[in-house]
Amino acid sequence: MDKASHLSIILDLSPTQWHLFAQPSPTNAHPLSLSSFLSQLFAFLNAHIACKDENTLTVYGAFPGKSILLYSSVNITASSSETEAPADANTYRPFKILDSTIATSISQQLDELSEMNEEAPVSLVSALTKSLCYINRNSNSSSESLSKTKTKLEELGVEAEAMLDPRVLIISVSPDQSAAYISMMNSIFSAQKLKVTIDVCKLYGPDSVFLQQAAHLTGGSYIYLERPDALLQYLTMSFLPPPSLRTLISVPTQDKIDFRAACFCHKQIVDIGFVCSVCLSIFCKPVPVCSTCRTKFPMKTLQRLNAMKPPTLPSNNLSNTANTPSPAASPAPSHRRTPSMTGTGTAGANSLPRSSTIGRGATTGTNGSAPPRNGDGV
Amino acid sequence: MRRRRKGIYSRVKDKTMPGLQTSEPGPSTESTSHALLGFLQSQSQNTLTRLYQRPSSCLSVFRLLGPLERQLVMNLLWMDSAIPASMMSAWITREGRKPYEGSLSILSKLHILPNPTAKLALNLTFKTSLRHAITGGGTSGSFGVPADRDSKHPSPSIEALDTYALERWETILHYMVSSGSGRYPNRPSQGVLLLLQRSGLMTSVQGSALQITSSGFQFLLHPPHAQLWELLLQYLHMAEERQMDLVEVLSFLFMLSTMELGRDYSVEHLSQTQTAMLEDLRDYGIIWQRRASSRRFSPTRLATTLTSSAPPLPTAGGAASNTQGQGFIVLETNYRIYAYTDNPLQIAVLNLFITMKSRFPNLVVGAITRESVKKALANGITADQIISYLTTHAHPQMRKNKPLLPVTVQDQVRLWELEKNRVKSQEGYLYTAFASQADYEYVLNYAKQLDVVLWESAAKRCFFGSIEGHANIRGFIERRTAGNV
């Protein structure tokens, strides 16, 4: 039970959001500056390393338009650290190297950002994908006992089976980017396959639909910090226990999850979507030809669905509950020959969907079983 | 004439075999708590509080704790005030109840959590020091003061340190294993010999050379990490007797465990006790010094892995690829063993329980035989230890097998151990050469009334009586002979 665990941290480092977060305003009762956030984060990272000598850590920074590996405990060699951090009798050296490496690379990356780049969306998914690739590479190399990587790692004195029990912690301050829906969902499914737990700590901004789903689907916990000034305590109590320990210590999980999806055509989060019965692509309005699998839908179905559609449909109307129609509504054998666009809608914008349970269940089912295809053909 | 012969009568106990365990023990049956924790728990609160004053000691003690204890300490670390016990237990799931209670009691025995029943708060000294350890800062200098760079004598490379540590450590083990054979390779220093003797791993019979004991044989089959701690614990016990300050000794060991491999540290800030320890630790291969009077020292891998579970000896075989973790033993179902090693220590340890057949530059071929296992059993090694040694050091090719070791061999080794317990000896007398059948039955009847007959054979007209009944039977026979004559 007392095994080493791996932690990948993904830091959302959007300069705009952190600037807003640091400003006290009526909507932002507990401002938190980046520097005080980092000092609390370092204490948390040190605590993770302190728990066990073999615990490994990687830190990825998600900057506007790019994602960078800020720190990796495996790649730190004695020669590279020698020059960077002068020895100090009062600090445990691995902690010092960790803190100084992350701090310097963050400030370096932020300085490099040009004015124009600052407005680009934060590449959170890219950082998540990179960390999953990292975990995958390391867990593969440990299972192949005779591979070259392992002998090399062992020569360096690194425990080769260090990647047991991996998990990812995303610390987010930016709102969702609906454009990243497909890639986000695909990374969630990869994480599920790799048995990687994704934890999410949301510091600022509105609740993130996609990250809620990521935590829910991988068995992690999603926490929206109400008191960012108590960040360290939140981090320690909720995100420090490795998954193996979570059978003994309960960590908070979210009580309600927003299961809404983003449409493949306009990349907007939709309350009511239309699902292609063949490839399960999601669209915000009925389309004659599925952009992903090129299936043609009969004219009649389109007319019927258009008629069912609520007259005015603001795409982000929150009064409508998530209700993505089920692909199961059309019988399976007929898929090939008579493709049909299925959909259930609500009559009025303010009334609840009649079959809300079906709608919810269907969306979860979609998420759980069939990964969305790459819908970039639009 | 009747002859009486004194002899040993052996009886085969008709014991049914207990169900053999075919499940193999895990490669490293990790004990639930570290060996040192027990020692720390037996120390007084005063000692522990003084120990906790140093951040490096706190960090090391923290690392020795179990996962649940560590999480509890972390939860409380940043709290400024005590929290009610009920609040903490609300975080514990139903399955976690029992481990949680156990963790609380361990923490309170270590005086980390002084009063776990009402309000939970960490020991103030411990809390301050661990916070210092994690955030850095403070002026304790407990993580070792690095020596200034010396251009004349560059610090040794990591490989050199590893070789040094390995050589020192194997000298000790090799000395132990070869003590029975009468060959003495390299004698470790006097301090090491004393430690081995005091720990009961070796013993000297009437001033003769040291001989390995049965616990010493068992010690040889332990993983290196456990061996190291076993010796260090003994060292701690001896430190108490030598009037050394236990806190100084412990905190020096903990300081070593947080030091960085391949770096020089200055001896100037060490206390007198700790300077005295340098010599002992040099003998064990835990630290390296250029000269005994050198002003600097470097910890070896044995030191820096004290509080982790990483292999403390990087290369146990001569070849760099043959690591301790890798394993080198191939065991076949026909009891043959192929050990890919040229390390004299490993060969010597194997020799404890296998019969060597042939030796090649990098390979030793042998077999597990009844005689070899019985020899090992006679030395006090148990079947489980043999099996767990083979499991830990199994060649990667063996790891594909399920179960790892052939079941036949495992069972047979256990059966041989049971065999040892099958024969029970009882001292007694054999009564034979009775003149007539009536005579024989008469004496036998008498003996049966006394309930001292162990074995009888009417055809051979003899029986075996236990030693307690001999005086009576002898008297009875003598009286009868006298009466007859």
Side-chain angles (χ1 to χ4, degrees), chain B residues 413-429:
Chain B
V413 172
R414 290 209 170 88
L415 281 172
W416 280 327
E417 188 184 39
L418 291 173
E419 205 174 79
K420 200 180 66 163
N421 308 329
R422 237 175 63 197
V423 177
K424 193 173 135 194
S425 62
Q426 262 177 316
E427 223 173 315
Y429 286 87

Side-chain angles (χ1 to χ4, degrees), chain B residues 172-363:
Chain B
I172 300 179
L173 296 185
H174 205 197
Y175 177 78
M176 288 178 68
V177 78
S178 53
S179 69
S181 66
R183 288 178 289 111
Y184 287 97
N186 289 325
R187 279 176 77 89
S189 73
Q190 207 54 45
V192 176
L193 294 185
L194 184 67
L195 186 70
L196 289 176
Q197 202 176 345
R198 288 299 301 276
S199 53
L201 298 177
M202 299 187 88
T203 174
S204 132
V205 190
Q206 291 144 15
S208 67
L210 285 175
Q211 286 288 327
I212 189 165
T213 63
S214 79
S215 62
F217 280 117
Q218 298 183 9
F219 174 84
L220 285 174
L221 298 185
H222 287 169
H225 200 255
Q227 290 175 339
L228 183 60
W229 270 111
E230 220 165 297
L231 281 190
L232 285 179
L233 268 180
Q234 194 56 42
Y235 185 80
L236 289 171
H237 284 299
M238 273 167 67
E240 280 177 312
E241 292 167 27
R242 282 158 64 180
Q243 307 288 317
M244 287 163 90
D245 188 354
L246 200 63
V247 175
E248 297 276 341
V249 177
L250 272 172
S251 55
F252 189 51
L253 288 181
F254 287 143
M255 189 207 295
L256 285 172
S257 77
T258 57
M259 281 179 173
E260 198 189 356
L261 191 63
R263 186 170 276 273
D264 277 350
Y265 290 89
S266 159
V267 298
E268 273 154 44
H269 300 266
L270 298 180
S271 72
Q272 208 167 359
T273 316
Q274 293 173 341
T275 319
M277 280 174 72
L278 286 175
E279 194 197 328
D280 299 324
L281 296 180
R282 210 170 46 224
D283 288 338
Y284 308 152
I286 292 175
I287 58 170
W288 180 89
Q289 274 185 307
R290 203 164 46 79
R291 275 178 292 114
S293 58
S294 180
R295 305 300 300 152
R296 52 179 62 214
F297 66 94
S298 321
T300 67
R301 206 182 287 279
L302 283 174
T304 53
T305 53
L306 271 177
T307 50
S308 78
S309 52
L313 295 170
T315 48
S321 60
N322 190 3
T323 59
Q324 190 82 22
Q326 280 272 16
F328 56 93
I329 295 174
V330 176
L331 175 63
E332 291 183 342
T333 45
N334 56 6
Y335 302 91
R336 272 180 174 268
I337 278 192
Y338 301 90
Y340 289 88
T341 178
D342 56 354
N343 184 313
L345 173 66
Q346 284 174 344
I347 297 172
V349 170
L350 275 178
N351 202 15
L352 292 176
F353 59 89
I354 71 170
T355 309
M356 296 291 179
K357 288 259 185 334
S358 38
R359 266 183 87 161
F360 300 96
N362 69 334
L363 171 71

Side-chain angles (χ1 to χ4, degrees), chain A residues 1-2 13 17 118 133 135 139 156-157 163 178-179 187 191 211 217 231 234 236 238 241 278 287 323 339 350 353 372:
Chain A
M1 184 175 158
D2 194 4
L13 292 166
Q17 291 295 322
E118 273 179 34
C133 289
I135 290 169
S139 47
L156 290 168
M163 281 300 161
S178 40
S187 2
L211 293 181
L217 291 173
L231 172 69
Y234 273 103
T236 314
S238 323
V278 177
V287 286
N323 187 8
N350 287 329

Side-chain angles (χ1 to χ4, degrees), chain B residues 432-476:
Chain B
T432 171
F434 290 93
S436 66
Q437 184 70 21
D439 244 7
Y440 166 70
E441 275 167 12
Y442 195 66
V443 179
L444 185 63
N445 260 335
Y446 175 73
K448 273 184 179 165
Q449 279 166 18
L450 292 176
D451 198 21
V452 293
V453 179
L454 294 171
W455 175 81
E456 58 175 283
S457 166
K460 289 181 179 165
R461 224 182 261 174
C462 61
F463 72 93
F464 195 85
S466 72
I467 198 157
E468 297 87 51
H470 178 60
N472 282 337
I473 295 172
R474 189 192 157 121
F476 180 75

